[in-house]
Amino acid sequence: MKYVDEYSDAEIVQKLLAKIHSTSQSHPKRIVLMEVCGTHTMAIFRSGLRRLLPSNIRLLSGPGCPVCVTPNHYLDKAIAYARKDDVIITTFGDMLRVPGSSSSLEKEKSCGGDVVVVYSPLEALKIAQENTGKKIVFLAIGFETTAPTVAATIKIAQEKNIQNFFAFSGHKLVPPAMQALVGYKDLHIDGFICPGHVSTIIGSKPYEFISEQYNIPCVVTGFEPLDIVQAIFMLTQQIVNSEAPKVQIQYRRSVKEEGNLRALDLMREIFEVEESNWRGLGNIPESGLKIKEGFSAYDAEANVPVQVEETRENEACICGAILRGVNTPLDCPLFGRICTPESPVGPCMVSSEGTCAAYFKYGDYGK
Amino acid sequence: MCLAIPMKVIEIKNSEAVVELGGVEREANLQLVEDVRVGDYILIHAGFAIQKLDREEAEKTLSYLRQMAEMV
């Protein structure tokens, strides 16, 4: 058991797809399923699943790409940090090329800004230990999957008395964004493919309000082709058989109902919940994480003062509507012409998990 | 960004593990997980193990899927 190859068996995938076709053909309406997570969006496009589904099942990509939903004012502040001589910015690679109001971290780097791409917040901590004369600002973006790794890093910084490591929290929480989505009148969703690794941390219970209050079934799903096909089958069954909507876990090898309690405890020790601004979705109550006062010594915003330029948005870019699920990249006048992976205008084209990047790379314009 | 890769634990030193996939070795921090042993598969995200994979559940899912496929 290697937990990957076993879940890519093409023969079983085909047979399950046949079951999905026969289950859904009797259904009189179109079935719209949203994959909330950007990692799912990429897995779905990479496997070509969209083309193999019945014509009455539509997959919609949601706001689950952390880079994409990070608003311009966060980027502008990160860029302002990068312009300070005594700061080294440490960041996940996807953030580098995202345009802010007038610059990007990549541009700042080419102008001499100290910007280092890291794979883990622990690498940022190591850079802090090696550069005691500098302030190391780590761009802490990501959902519940990533926040505990930053919380653990802050604890290690405290234990080792490292005083020049600062996290700039842009962490966001997935269930409040799903609640915002189901409130949109111009968006209809019949079922949610819930993120497998966010749920590895938070469990399946935080989605229960969606099935109970909004009557929308949810399936917590893994990332291999068989996982996704099974989840679509489970959702289709709930919808076609008019079962009472419920939350089911497909990804049982990783997700427990209660989640990862150790990671959750650590996350709650370091962070508190606050309102947060999402690109495309606006301000959502209790959807972001801020560093608690007791750990403010590790909070970039409390320790590294900067002047931030006035935030501007690119009016022509429709990333916001794409993140809300009300438009696809094909509705955007910039897509594929002015906005490409080589010369991206909006974050959904920059991020390797962005919906525009997926449409562009895999050319799956059919559905 | 929420990508996490299942890797095999080949060595444990305090709260760090050496993990391996396809011949590539990496270090992973074990602070977010419990009861990890050499030979286990753990999900790695941003340098941390975020879960120990449950072999029994993994096999249950696969055997259910194989049964479903036979019923087509």
Side-chain angles (χ1 to χ4, degrees):
Chain A
M1 176 69 72
K2 291 193 169 168
Y3 301 91
V4 175
D5 302 350
E6 297 88 347
Y7 293 89
S8 306
D9 187 319
E11 199 184 324
I12 306 180
V13 167
Q14 277 175 353
K15 287 186 171 167
L16 265 182
L17 279 165
K19 280 185 99 70
I20 292 171
H21 276 262
S22 64
T23 309
S24 66
Q25 70 180 10
S26 61
H27 195 65
K29 290 190 202 151
R30 191 166 72 157
I31 298 170
V32 180
L33 307 178
M34 176 178 273
E35 86 272 359
V36 180
C37 168
T39 310
H40 274 143
T41 298
M42 284 319 279
I44 287 165
F45 274 93
R46 197 166 44 235
S47 61
L49 271 178
R50 282 185 168 222
R51 293 170 197 200
L52 303 173
L53 289 172
S55 56
N56 65 336
I57 297 185
R58 181 174 181 224
L59 294 183
L60 203 58
S61 303
C65 154
V67 172
C68 305
V69 295
T70 298
N72 267 9
H73 69 78
Y74 180 96
L75 289 156
D76 292 341
K77 197 159 191 180
I79 287 161
Y81 286 135
R83 287 176 179 158
K84 286 181 78 90
D85 290 338
D86 59 345
V87 167
I88 300 176
I89 292 280
T90 49
T91 175
F92 294 126
D94 267 12
M95 287 290 277
L96 214 55
R97 299 180 64 213
V98 184
S101 294
S102 66
S103 183
S104 69
L105 290 167
E106 188 180 48
K107 279 185 195 155
E108 294 305 317
K109 191 173 163 69
S110 69
C111 298
D114 215 340
V115 181
V116 182
V117 171
V118 294
Y119 152 77
S120 163
L122 291 173
E123 281 179 49
L125 199 59
K126 198 162 166 243
I127 292 170
Q129 286 174 293
E130 290 162 355
N131 296 273
T132 47
K134 297 265 190 179
K135 293 171 180 159
I136 311 308
V137 174
F138 176 68
L139 304 186
I141 65 150
F143 297 129
E144 293 93 329
T145 320
T146 314
T149 70
V150 176
T153 305
I154 288 175
K155 283 286 275 192
I156 296 169
Q158 189 185 45
E159 281 156 23
K160 294 189 174 173
N161 195 25
I162 298 169
Q163 292 173 7
N164 61 331
F165 171 82
F166 306 100
F168 175 22
S169 178
H171 287 305
K172 297 198 183 320
L173 306 173
V174 169
M178 290 168 71
Q179 183 164 23
L181 287 173
V182 295
Y184 294 139
K185 292 204 166 45
D186 53 354
L187 181 65
H188 174 80
I189 298 166
D190 295 299
F192 277 113
I193 296 171
C194 294
H197 292 146
V198 163
S199 312
T200 294
I201 304 298
I202 67 172
S204 60
K205 288 185 179 160
Y207 307 109
E208 280 172 0
F209 76 95
I210 293 174
S211 51
E212 284 164 12
Q213 291 173 34
Y214 299 94
N215 294 318
I216 300 175
C218 296
V219 174
V220 175
T221 308
F223 296 91
E224 300 308 319
L226 255 183
D227 292 320
I228 296 165
V229 173
Q230 187 187 4
I232 294 170
F233 178 65
M234 289 161 82
L235 285 167
T236 309
Q237 273 206 316
Q238 280 201 49
I239 294 160
V240 171
N241 298 339
S242 304
E243 294 172 17
K246 54 183 178 278
V247 179
Q248 295 174 297
I249 303 174
Q250 180 280 328
Y251 194 29
R252 289 207 167 268
R253 60 190 184 277
S254 177
V255 177
K256 312 292 165 208
E257 274 178 25
E258 68 281 10
N260 178 340
L261 296 176
R262 191 184 266 227
L264 282 172
D265 282 348
L266 197 53
M267 196 165 101
R268 288 172 187 147
E269 185 184 344
I270 305 290
F271 293 108
E272 61 188 325
V273 171
E274 65 171 354
E275 181 176 87
S276 182
N277 183 258
W278 296 55
R279 187 188 300 272
L281 282 74
N283 289 338
I284 303 176
E286 300 184 353
S287 71
L289 292 178
K290 119 183 226 219
I291 295 171
K292 279 186 177 169
E293 211 162 293
F295 293 91
S296 64
Y298 306 96
D299 185 347
E301 292 185 280
N303 293 282
V304 191
V306 271
Q307 290 280 337
V308 185
E309 67 184 294
E310 195 182 331
T311 298
R312 283 177 293 139
E313 301 287 341
N314 185 319
E315 299 290 332
C317 172
I318 65 162
C319 268
I322 291 168
L323 291 165
R324 280 200 307 277
V326 296
N327 281 123
T328 76
L330 302 182
D331 301 319
C332 179
L334 308 180
F335 176 75
R337 289 184 277 274
I338 293 163
C339 183
T340 62
E342 286 73 36
S343 174
V345 176
C348 302
M349 185 63 92
V350 181
S351 169
S352 58
E353 292 184 345
T355 306
C356 298
Y359 268 70
F360 191 92
K361 184 168 181 188
Y362 295 103
D364 194 351
Y365 302 164
K367 285 176 137 187
Chain B
M1 273 256 347
C2 284
L3 199 63
I5 311 285
M7 297 182 86
K8 189 179 181 178
V9 177
I10 54 173
E11 198 185 328
I12 296 176
K13 298 176 279 190
N14 304 320
S15 63
E16 295 273 320
V18 179
V19 290
E20 182 266 341
L21 175 70
V24 178
E25 287 185 10
R26 284 206 179 222
E27 284 196 346
N29 186 294
L30 296 176
Q31 289 194 10
L32 302 177
V33 289
E34 287 173 271
D35 298 331
V36 172
R37 294 182 189 160
V38 171
D40 285 341
Y41 276 77
I42 51 181
L43 269 179
I44 308 298
H45 172 75
F48 284 80
I50 58 164
Q51 187 63 288
K52 180 168 94 171
L53 289 165
D54 187 327
R55 190 182 175 109
E56 202 178 310
E57 288 290 354
E59 278 167 358
K60 258 201 254 175
T61 304
L62 278 177
S63 92
Y64 168 78
L65 287 168
R66 288 190 189 111
Q67 272 175 24
M68 293 276 297
E70 275 166 24
M71 281 158 58
V72 174

